[in-house]
């Protein structure tokens, strides 16, 4: 990782020096070893740039605003970020011309909340070298397995290939191995196998924790509406906590419907949720159903193909299938 | 001082919840919040912080104010409040315990918020001392003693006992109701723990945050500081920091159309939201920079200015660990605590 960090710094300063881009969205260190903040940097503060196992935040969404500004912005895209990037370009939300995309390798991002959930608290520093993560804490040195503390999305990594770039920092074949992808539908299958009451209880339990902070919506690259329906007073639904918590649970269902067919399963919603609600499971259910009804489709694989819900083919399933599926299962 | 062995603690909870509702940190669907105690609940006294703070019990995230029902041509109006039920709030950390002082300044000042006041009156607070602070804790910066929290009763926990000491009249009264499950104890174990914790507190990474610049004299300089731009640049404008914060106090009052009536309710609002304080002429803070600045100016400058120097942050560290992009009050204090161009 240190090697890649050095290469990256060199490459970025080269690209800013030769005028390929005039600024970069990078990552800045925080108070602790894990609380990295996305930040726009220019030549004069480029020394703050760094890249480590806590740079999980998908920066594609910032490009909507950045590509409206003067000049060209340098974007650092991990393989999974390129899917969101493609999708945003496809939806004409990001102006491709205004972005120089540098593909950077990734060997899996870490989730500090998972480290803390293991009872490792008072964290002073984290050494990320391979299979074992060493954590120095105020209460002594601890270790944990990398696989235990990977971000949810990294456990089902789509692979090391970048689907969009102007340049790659290192060729994809030479990039470090990504985590072994688990089956991303495993939990969806489990939920499908439940009775409808069990499933209802599961989701009520999860969604009732929601504090309506809207972090999931605000971070989501597929939620790119200028004014969200929940921010529109005339819609009758509010962006804040409601008098009726069932109504509130519907926020998530509506959001999942709205991003269906466009959600790349980037996992940002679940990453930012302060209540660790597994929002990705809602999205994955939609992805799985779409795959089954319309044929396999991965949103963001490229920046041109029409999505299954925005294109019509004769083989499309009949709407009545919803009725058949919706009954007691 | 009294004590009870931890393996008998359910007896204490049963006694406390005998006559009134007992709220304490309980894990449900993987997260810990103050929930009503029931047998077999997954009580988590080891957790430093619930996601939502203890303020939820006095100033709940949503509360129904009234229900309006249509009955032919008449509208029936019923009051929706349930604020007079006595309850015990157990396991409040020193940071959250101090947050009630901050909220009191707002809700008990004239005009008194009768909902909040009623809950304050009917709630007994059993606070719990900390012995294992996290790196994000900086309560000491605000003069809070994590080993001796405010509250009606204070409890300390070691590996096998809970120690109990009443601090107020309400606390004495509560102690009477549970005395039968407690035994007398000296304070040696507690004193030893306090000394040990103080040593840990002295090593916390944020213990030296410097608040001296946050004064009325510097108000406009801080307000006009150009560094707010870069600090707020990537703020998502979500409400996470405000909703997990024990001292954030803003609310909205809304009407919810149930289809056969209207529920008027109030809910937490967030200064980070773009409809916050919107009026007929529009919104006074149009950019995220202005909204972001408001949150921190309020906590560090305006609130102390209006309340004899009391900051409206208690250093609980929730916003440090929950902000999705890790921008937070500690960074603001460090940045704005030093004059620009110095
Ligand atoms: S991020 Fe989590 S708590 Fe916040 S609105 Fe989304 S689901 Fe609710
Ligand atoms: S500071 Fe962080 S938590 Fe607060 S609104 Fe901005 S992004 Fe959300
Ligand atoms: S501002 Fe942050 S640290 Fe301060 S009381 Fe609120 S949540 Fe806690
Ligand atoms: S901020 Fe202080 S009182 Fe609050 S949990 Fe941490 S150590 Fe305890």
């Amino acid at each position: 990782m240190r090697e890649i960090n050095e290469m990256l710094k060199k490459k970025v300063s080269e690209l800013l020096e030769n005028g390929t881009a005039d600024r970069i969205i990078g990552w800045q260190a925080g108070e602790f070893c894990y609380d990295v903040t996305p930040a726009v940097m220019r030549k004069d503060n480029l020394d703050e740039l760094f890249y480590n196992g806590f740079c999980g935040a998908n920066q594609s969404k910032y490009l909507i605003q950045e590509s409206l500004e003067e000049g060209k912005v340098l974007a650092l895209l991990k393989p999974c970020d390129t899917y969101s990037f493609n999708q945003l370009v496809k939806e004409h939300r990001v102006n491709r011309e205004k972005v120089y995309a540098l593909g950077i390798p990734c060997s899996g991002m870490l989730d500090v909340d998972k480290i803390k959930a293991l009872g490792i608290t008072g964290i002073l520093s984290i050494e990320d070298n391979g299979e074992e993560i060493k954590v120095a804490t105020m209460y002594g040195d601890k270790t944990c397995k990398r696989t235990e503390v990977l971000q949810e999305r990294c456990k089902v990594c789509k692979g090391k290939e970048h689907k969009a770039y102007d340049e790659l920092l290192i060729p994809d074949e030479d990039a470090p191995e990504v985590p072994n992808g688990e089956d991303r539908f495993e939990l969806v299958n489990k939920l499908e196998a439940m009775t409808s009451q069990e499933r209802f209880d599961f989701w009520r339990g999860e969604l009732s924790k929601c504090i309506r902070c809207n972090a999931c919506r605000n971070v989501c690259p597929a939620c790119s509406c200028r004014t969200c329906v929940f921010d529109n007073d005339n819609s009758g639904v509010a962006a804040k906590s409601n008098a009726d918590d069932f109504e509130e649970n519907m926020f998530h269902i509506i959001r999942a419907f709205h991003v269906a067919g466009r959600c790349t399963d980037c996992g940002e919603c679940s990453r930012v949720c302060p209540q660790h609600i597994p929002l990705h499971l809602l999205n994955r259910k939609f992805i799985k159903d779409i795959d089954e009804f319309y044929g396999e489709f991965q949103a963001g694989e490229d920046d041109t193909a029409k999505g299954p819900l925005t294109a019509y083919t004769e083989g499309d399933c009949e709407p009545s299938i919803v009725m058949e599926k919706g009954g007691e299962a | 001082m009294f004590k009870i062995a931890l393996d008998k603690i359910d007896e204490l909870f049963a006694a406390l919840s005998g006559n009134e509702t007992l709220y304490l940190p309980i894990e449900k669907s993987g997260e810990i919040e103050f929930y009503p105690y029931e047998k077999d609940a997954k009580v988590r006294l080891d957790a430093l912080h619930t996601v939502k703070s203890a303020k939820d019990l006095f100033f709940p995230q949503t509360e129904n104010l009234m229900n309006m029902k249509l009955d032919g041509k008449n509208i029936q109006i019923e009051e929706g409040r349930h604020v007079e039920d006595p309850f015990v709030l157990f396991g409040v950390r020193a940071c959250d315990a101090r947050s009630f002082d901050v909220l009191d300044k707002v809700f008990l000042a004239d005009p008194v918020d009768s909902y909040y006041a009623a809950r304050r009156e009917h709630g007994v607070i059993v606070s719990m001392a900390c012995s294992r602070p996290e790196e994000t804790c900086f309560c000491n910066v605000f003069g809070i003693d994590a080993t001796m929290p405010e509250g009606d009763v204070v409890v300390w926990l070691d590996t096998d006992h809970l120690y109990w000491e009443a601090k107020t009249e309400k606390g004495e009264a509560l102690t009477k109701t549970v005395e039968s499950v407690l035994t007398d104890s000296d304070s040696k174990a507690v004193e030893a723990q306090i000394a040990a914790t103080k040593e840990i507190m002295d090593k916390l990474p944020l213990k030296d945050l410097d608040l001296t610049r946050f004064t009325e004299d510097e108000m406009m300089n801080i307000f006009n500081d150009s560094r707010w731009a870069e600090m707020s640049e990537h703020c998502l404008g979500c409400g996470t920091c405000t909703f997990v914060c024990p001292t954030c106090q803003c609310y909205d009052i809304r009407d919810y159309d149930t289809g056969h009536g209207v529920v008027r309710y109030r809910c937490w609002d967030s200064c980070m939201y773009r409809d916050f304080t919107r009026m007929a002429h529009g919104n006074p803070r149009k950019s995220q920079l202005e909204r972001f600045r408001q949150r921190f100016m309020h906590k560090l400058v305006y609130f102390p200015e209006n309340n004899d120097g009391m900051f409206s942050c208690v250093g609980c560290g929730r916003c440090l660990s929950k902000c999705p992009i890790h921008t937070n009050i500690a960074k603001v204090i460090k940045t704005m605590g030093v004059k620009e161009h110095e």
Side-chain angles (χ1 to χ4, degrees), chain A residues 112-130:
Chain A
V112 74
D113 287 354
K114 287 194 180 162
I115 298 179
K116 291 183 180 176
L118 293 170
I120 303 179
T121 61
I123 298 174
L124 298 174
S125 70
I126 298 178
E127 213 181 299
D128 167 15
N129 36 13

Side-chain angles (χ1 to χ4, degrees), chain B residues 138 241 244-247 295 299 313-320 329:
Chain B
F138 57 106
C241 50
V244 299
C245 179
T247 65
R295 177 163 194 268
K299 297 213 176 291
C313 168
V314 294
C316 73
R318 282 185 180 86
C319 63
L320 276 67
I329 198 159

Side-chain angles (χ1 to χ4, degrees), chain A residues 204-217:
Chain A
R204 282 290 272 172
E206 289 295 342
L207 296 178
S208 298
K209 295 184 295 183
C210 176
I211 56 173
R212 287 309 294 280
C213 65
N214 292 297
C216 49
R217 175 193 70 175

Side-chain angles (χ1 to χ4, degrees), chain A residues 209-217 251-252 269 272-275 277 279, chain B residues 240:
Chain A
K209 295 184 295 183
C210 176
I211 56 173
R212 287 309 294 280
C213 65
N214 292 297
C216 49
R217 175 193 70 175
F251 160 65
H252 297 285
C269 47
V272 301
C273 179
Q275 291 280 23
I277 298 172
L279 296 162
Chain B
T240 307

